[in-house]
Amino acid sequence: MTATPLKTSTVWRLKQGRIDETDDCLSNEVPVALVYNGISHVVLMATPQDLPELALGFSLTEGILSSASQLYDVEVLQTSAGMLVNMDIASAAFLQLKGRRRNLSGRTGCGLCGIESLDVVKPVITPVVVRPKVSAAHISDALDAFASLQPLRAQTGSVHGVAWVNGSGHIQALFEDVGRHNALDKLLGFGARAGWNWSEGFVLVSSRASYEMVVKSAVLGVGCLVAVSAPTALAVQLAQEANMTLIGFAKPGQQVIYTGHEYITLAD
């Protein structure tokens, strides 16, 4: 059976003093193994859709690949245990990966699974070269359209959405996943393959802004990250180091700017 992003389950709803049996729609969460040149490197718990984009985005944001061109081929297979994403990558990237490979077990909301010592907790940040000017009106417009472009979230209430808003203020693409990091990797992988200019626009996320979201965005050169919930203190610190604009508690017409307030314009 092909893995799908949604599953139907029987539930019992308590409402107005009655318990009634009905069907409910649940998001599907499955193990996804990323395999590089025949060697399994990491298992993520993810929504089983857009897996080639997830694989490329993860590979770029984790430094396994330095460019989309180093990924030669992707094949997605289903097994009884989960999904396999087999990747054929450049020899130079594979040799580097073998040199630092470690076993990881990714879980939804887990950013440090598999870390072996405290010395490697704090990531090395490469500052964003070009920091975009972002219109406050564009942020509000994107937020107005955001919910209507998240069908899985509307049906289940248990997935995150991540969107790229271009320099004209339009949502160019949106990806969903049970893991906010996975959704971001899907978007970044898709954009990297498409050759997007990350210096013109911003990433919009339906979740809080964790430090991983900042780091992953900075790796690709994203200059502005907008979150509908709060950032963590480490996310703010790393956004400053990365020369990024970081916005939280984003609602139409109302946001909190944590870094880069001078890059937010009040005119369209």
Side-chain angles (χ1 to χ4, degrees):
M1 180 182 297
T2 302
T4 60
L6 299 175
K7 295 185 72 173
T8 301
S9 176
T10 300
V11 300
W12 290 262
R13 296 188 186 278
L14 171 59
K15 186 177 182 180
Q16 297 179 341
R18 289 171 51 94
I19 298 178
D20 296 314
E21 181 179 327
T22 185
D23 289 334
D24 195 16
C25 197
L26 305 177
S27 58
N28 203 3
E29 185 177 20
V30 303
V32 178
L34 302 186
V35 182
Y36 297 89
N37 292 4
I39 296 181
S40 182
H41 174 65
V42 63
V43 177
L44 307 172
M45 296 303 297
T47 300
Q49 69 176 19
D50 305 312
L51 297 184
E53 289 79 9
L54 171 61
L56 177 56
F58 178 90
S59 301
L60 291 169
T61 60
E62 294 295 321
I64 296 169
L65 303 179
S66 59
S67 69
S69 63
Q70 289 188 308
L71 177 58
Y72 298 150
D73 190 33
V74 182
E75 181 185 27
V76 178
L77 301 173
Q78 182 165 358
T79 73
S80 59
M83 307 297 294
L84 285 177
V85 183
N86 292 315
M87 286 173 278
D88 180 17
I89 66 173
S91 297
F94 184 59
L95 288 174
Q96 182 179 1
L97 174 63
K98 287 203 299 184
R100 67 180 185 91
R101 192 168 71 90
R102 51 187 166 84
N103 292 324
L104 295 172
S105 177
R107 299 190 301 272
T108 302
C110 177
L112 293 176
C113 303
I115 290 293
E116 296 170 349
S117 73
L118 293 175
D119 294 334
V120 293
V121 168
K122 188 177 183 301
V124 177
I125 292 290
T126 301
V128 172
V129 176
V130 180
R131 198 166 180 174
K133 290 280 187 179
V134 175
S135 165
H138 287 173
I139 297 175
S140 292
D141 290 344
L143 287 163
D144 282 334
F146 197 32
S148 65
L149 298 175
Q150 299 177 63
L152 296 184
R153 184 181 181 91
Q155 293 177 81
T156 68
S158 61
V159 300
H160 292 291
V162 176
W164 173 248
V165 184
N166 63 24
S168 299
H170 300 121
I171 293 179
Q172 193 164 347
L174 186 147
F175 290 86
E176 295 181 277
D177 199 279
V178 289
R180 61 185 184 272
H181 313 113
N182 296 337
L184 179 57
D185 278 335
K186 289 177 178 180
L187 178 76
L188 296 176
F190 180 84
R193 179 66 80 188
W196 287 350
N197 183 353
W198 299 111
S199 65
E200 298 178 355
F202 59 91
V203 167
L204 174 61
V205 302
S206 66
S207 64
R208 65 183 173 91
S210 63
Y211 87 92
E212 302 101 326
M213 306 294 273
V214 170
V215 172
K216 286 178 177 291
S217 298
V219 168
L220 270 291
V222 174
C224 180
L225 177 64
V226 180
V228 301
S229 190
T232 64
L234 183 56
V236 174
Q237 175 190 331
L238 294 178
Q240 291 172 333
E241 294 179 13
N243 196 37
M244 287 177 61
T245 299
L246 179 61
I247 296 173
F249 291 112
K251 299 178 181 179
Q254 179 179 323
Q255 299 100 39
V256 178
I257 305 169
Y258 292 88
T259 64
H261 69 277
E262 66 272 26
Y263 289 89
I264 305 302
T265 65
L266 298 179
D268 290 344

